[in-house]
Amino acid sequence: PPKRRRAAPQGRRMHFGRAVGFASDAAPRGPPEPIRATIDAADPLYTLLRARFQQRPIWSRGALKASLPADPLRTEDKLRFLLPQLGYYFSSGPWRNCWIAYGYDPRHTPDARLFQVLDLRLPAELDSLVPRKSEKADVAFPRRLRPLAPQKPPQGGAGGGGGGGGGG
């Protein structure tokens, strides 16, 4: 079987982000002081993000971005700066890479199961059937996993409706 190759680390770190291991004892109750000092409660994006965390305590980055209105001034860097002001993220476990409101520990709340992340992976033998992320430049024209089999023309008899039996 072909060996999987992991991508080289990009050197991207969360800005101020506070990662918590799933097996750790306690969830953070609030942001550390250096992060707390950067909070601007009047920032409209901060206010919007805080409202989202009041709606529900756990968000994936993609779901959170999709819930926000389109705004050309909202950048990935600004989100990277603001998210750690409102929550922390698990580095492992069922809520891996999800942003969680400070003071909320999903491990002790049965309802948090709704926000668990499903990580689906293909066996290495199937890697050749799926394009790599770096090959997905043409998002508008997705590739098929395999070519479709040619369709057989319908076999129409004299009745035209198929279905056999004569009826009355």
Side-chain angles (χ1 to χ4, degrees), residues 3-114:
K3 289 187 177 182
R4 289 185 179 215
R5 292 190 304 174
R6 290 189 173 228
Q10 301 291 323
R12 289 177 24 199
R13 274 184 28 104
M14 297 299 232
H15 182 74
F16 283 141
R18 184 158 184 193
V20 174
F22 182 70
S24 70
D25 291 333
R29 309 276 317 139
E33 190 52 43
I35 295 175
R36 192 181 314 240
T38 64
I39 293 175
D40 176 11
D43 181 351
L45 183 56
Y46 175 84
T47 305
L48 195 56
L49 289 171
R50 191 177 65 212
R52 292 297 187 267
F53 276 103
Q54 288 171 350
Q55 285 176 352
R56 69 183 216 206
I58 302 174
W59 288 88
S60 71
R61 182 184 216 81
L64 192 56
K65 284 171 41 176
S67 77
L68 298 173
D71 182 359
L73 299 177
R74 187 188 76 223
T75 64
E76 195 64 34
D77 284 340
K78 191 156 185 180
L79 277 177
R80 192 175 299 145
F81 184 75
L82 290 175
L83 281 173
Q85 296 175 356
L86 296 159
Y88 64 99
Y89 66 97
F90 275 120
S91 59
S92 59
W95 297 281
R96 182 178 53 164
N97 295 335
C98 285
W99 285 92
I100 302 162
Y102 283 118
Y104 184 81
D105 192 343
R107 297 170 294 188
H108 303 300
T109 309
D111 290 340
R113 70 185 184 282
L114 301 173

